[in-house]
Amino acid sequence: EAEDFLNSYFLKFPEIKDYMSDIIKFCRKSGYVTNIFGRKTHFSGINDKNFNVRNFQERAAINAPIQGSASEIMRLAMIRLNSAIESNNENLKILLQIHDELIFEIEKEDIKSSSKLIKDTMISVRDSDLHSFSIPLLVDVNVGDNWGQLH
């Protein structure tokens, strides 16, 4: 059943299968992959004789450019946010990053202005010195008294 699902998925989106194959070929030859910003992730076991090691490295090599790019986008957003917070004298603190989410501490009276600053600054990463995206980066801002209320 899983195999049928994957086969129909790849029939519908053949570019994804091509992407996966191209990444593995490149990594087998070079020993690394790069994210959209050019940062390399090395995979020393990509040509390992052990199937399990090689298979794990192939899956990781496929994921690395996407996950690494997302991580870089978040890192750039956090750097810009820190500068924007300092420049605007906002009473706002970044408390926590979890994958593609940031948790802030904001005074109730500052929610509107801080939310706008957060959203505008994070969206601005779309046009950085390192890469310019052809699609918009979407940012959602949610407010709650604790993390559990944000979803």
Side-chain angles (χ1 to χ4, degrees), residues 19 32-41 64-80 122-135 137:
Y19 163 80
Y32 67 89
V33 296
T34 59
N35 69 20
I36 58 175
F37 298 100
R39 189 177 302 270
K40 294 179 183 180
T41 304
I66 298 164
Q67 291 175 335
S69 297
S71 175
E72 294 282 338
I73 291 167
M74 183 57 77
R75 187 175 63 85
L76 288 170
M78 290 172 62
I79 291 168
R80 285 191 182 186
M122 291 185 78
I123 288 171
S124 78
V125 173
R126 179 175 183 257
D127 300 311
S128 76
D129 296 339
L130 302 172
H131 188 80
S132 186
F133 296 90
S134 60
I135 58 170
L137 294 178

Side-chain angles (χ1 to χ4, degrees), residues 71-113:
S71 175
E72 294 282 338
I73 291 167
M74 183 57 77
R75 187 175 63 85
L76 288 170
M78 290 172 62
I79 291 168
R80 285 191 182 186
L81 275 167
N82 191 54
S83 295
I85 291 166
E86 289 176 0
S87 298
N88 292 291
N89 292 322
E90 289 285 325
N91 190 14
L92 168 66
K93 293 179 187 161
I94 301 174
L95 295 180
L96 187 63
Q97 176 206 355
I98 304 152
H99 302 291
D100 62 349
E101 294 184 14
L102 293 174
I103 308 293
F104 296 88
E105 186 175 77
I106 305 170
E107 296 295 327
K108 286 192 188 285
E109 62 271 8
D110 297 328
I111 288 173
K112 189 173 182 179
S113 66

Side-chain angles (χ1 to χ4, degrees), residues 14-67:
E15 303 87 3
I16 294 174
K17 185 125 178 136
D18 293 342
Y19 163 80
M20 292 167 64
S21 178
D22 291 346
I23 289 290
I24 290 170
K25 282 184 212 168
F26 178 84
C27 192
R28 281 191 181 134
K29 183 178 176 185
S30 65
Y32 67 89
V33 296
T34 59
N35 69 20
I36 58 175
F37 298 100
R39 189 177 302 270
K40 294 179 183 180
T41 304
H42 294 268
F43 293 93
S44 60
I46 193 76
N47 294 309
D48 200 282
K49 291 178 184 176
N50 181 313
F51 172 81
N52 291 326
V53 171
R54 187 177 64 248
N55 191 263
F56 175 81
Q57 293 279 284
E58 288 173 355
R59 289 191 315 273
I62 291 166
N63 288 329
I66 298 164
Q67 291 175 335

